Amino acid sequence: MVRFAALGDSLTAGVGDPVGDGLRGWAALLAGGLVADDADNADADDAEGSGEAAGGAVRFRNFAVTGARARDVAAFQLPRALAYRPDVVSVVVGMNDTLRRTFDITEVALALDRTCAALSARGAVLLTACLPDPGAVLGLPGPLARPLARRQRQVDAVVHTLSARYGAVHLHLADAAWVADRTLWSADRLHPGERGHRTIAARFHALLAERGLAHGAAPGREPRQPPPSRADALRWLATAGTGWVLRRCHDLLPDLIRLAGAEVRHRARGTGTLLDLRAEQSLAAALAAVSGPAPVAGPAPASGPPAVFAGPAASERPVPVPVPTAVPLATMGE
């Protein structure tokens, strides 16, 4: 039996992919493809992402919580995941960190390192992903989008480094094609829709299958529900979206306006590169904080050989930090 645990925020919790009265999401879709089909194994396309799903050969627990940050994963989700003793575990988090005025890349790096180290030491195969910057996802104007992009590039650089360090199976979700393809997004444009969740699940399955870690059928890519309409987007804005905007106005907006003002001033003076330099310096300090020797991992899971990391292509590296090569999400359908 293979145990699969999913850690993270609303992306992994399944927001954007409702099924019945609950949420499903990419991790639940992926779970059913980790093992070969048998009469006892549940159909992942019909599984819900919350709670625990059990089949004859795979058990799945989703510990992800909407709004979680890296420190929340380390403090609250990690202990529960360790008690679950997973063979495969996903750790996908970081965008919520960039949307807080208290953003600290060193804090993010230490929390992610703690999480990955503990799970790797237990012999679990790690799944990780870098994420697109929220400014591009939300379509914000340049002065507002650039500070968020800078933060997300820092987070992604940390994820790339830790993925290489712990031998994770890594998926690159930060390419522009992913953001631009509206068929992949839900009505809120903050989360993938059903097609997006299925695409993520299918690509992770392909990477795992390449390494002999997925033996079941790949999740289907075509959605079973109709794509979100303009009315769905307006409905979200009038309900859940209003609360989200109000929370961000209280937490992030004042700081983001300050950062946008700095962007405008530096660009007017021709000193915009100083902002990039400061971001690189803070990133270097964060990476230095987690640069100690990697812990010795426990025995390899019974599900297959150790995973192999694939980072972003050289032209897509978020900052000038040495990282390996990755497969962009844009090539999924090819």
Side-chain angles (χ1 to χ4, degrees):
M1 182 179 68
V2 173
R3 291 176 179 265
F4 175 31
L7 282 63
D9 54 26
S10 55
L11 171 65
T12 301
V15 173
D17 185 29
V19 174
D21 295 329
L23 299 171
R24 179 178 52 188
W26 69 266
L29 289 163
L30 173 63
L34 294 179
V35 297
D37 293 337
D38 65 37
D40 297 322
N41 197 27
D43 180 2
D45 277 5
D46 296 324
E48 293 188 4
S50 57
E52 179 174 42
V58 62
R59 294 178 71 88
F60 170 64
R61 284 290 304 272
N62 197 336
F63 298 103
V65 176
T66 298
R69 289 180 271 177
R71 66 184 187 186
D72 300 320
V73 171
F76 305 111
Q77 298 178 31
L78 175 61
R80 297 175 64 198
L82 291 173
Y84 186 62
R85 305 190 311 277
D87 302 292
V88 180
V89 56
S90 63
V91 180
V92 181
V93 69
M95 186 175 289
N96 285 317
D97 291 273
T98 69
L99 296 174
R100 298 296 189 275
R101 67 174 183 273
T102 55
F103 175 76
D104 184 332
I105 188 57
T106 296
E107 178 187 81
V108 172
L110 290 171
L112 287 174
D113 187 48
R114 175 186 169 190
T115 300
C116 293
L119 293 166
S120 179
R122 295 290 183 90
V125 173
L126 291 174
L127 309 184
T128 62
C130 60
L131 302 170
D133 72 86
V137 171
L138 294 170
L140 297 179
L144 294 173
R146 281 190 289 271
L148 296 179
R150 203 173 282 116
R151 288 180 174 184
Q152 191 63 55
R153 287 196 298 268
Q154 289 179 306
V155 173
D156 287 346
V158 168
V159 172
H160 294 152
T161 298
L162 295 179
S163 296
R165 177 184 172 88
Y166 295 107
V169 175
H170 179 80
L171 180 61
H172 188 59
L173 295 178
D175 59 297
W178 166 256
V179 177
D181 188 348
R182 293 297 300 126
T183 68
L184 298 174
W185 293 89
S186 67
D188 64 13
R189 195 173 170 82
L190 296 170
H191 303 92
E194 181 186 355
R195 185 184 295 276
H197 279 283
R198 287 182 175 277
T199 301
I200 295 171
R203 187 53 189 153
F204 263 129
H205 183 276
L207 292 175
L208 287 166
E210 288 172 3
R211 294 153 179 77
L213 299 173
H215 306 282
R221 293 174 182 259
E222 290 303 313
R224 297 183 178 181
Q225 302 297 323
S229 64
R230 177 68 174 171
D232 293 326
L234 293 174
R235 191 177 303 113
W236 174 84
L237 185 60
T239 55
T242 301
W244 186 88
V245 171
L246 290 174
R247 288 191 297 274
R248 295 292 73 78
C249 285
H250 174 73
D251 181 12
L252 174 67
L253 189 58
D255 189 49
L256 187 55
I257 291 174
R258 178 185 62 81
L259 294 173
E263 290 282 339
V264 172
R265 290 193 300 273
H266 275 281
R267 283 186 171 266
R269 299 169 185 166
T271 56
T273 56
L274 289 177
L275 296 174
D276 294 326
L277 178 59
R278 291 172 188 170
E280 291 177 17
Q281 290 172 338
S282 61
L283 172 61
L287 294 177
V290 295
S291 63
V296 177
S303 54
V308 177
F309 170 77
S315 62
E316 297 169 329
R317 292 175 187 170
V319 291
V321 176
V323 290
T325 300
V327 180
L329 186 66
T331 64
M332 283 186 177
E334 300 176 0

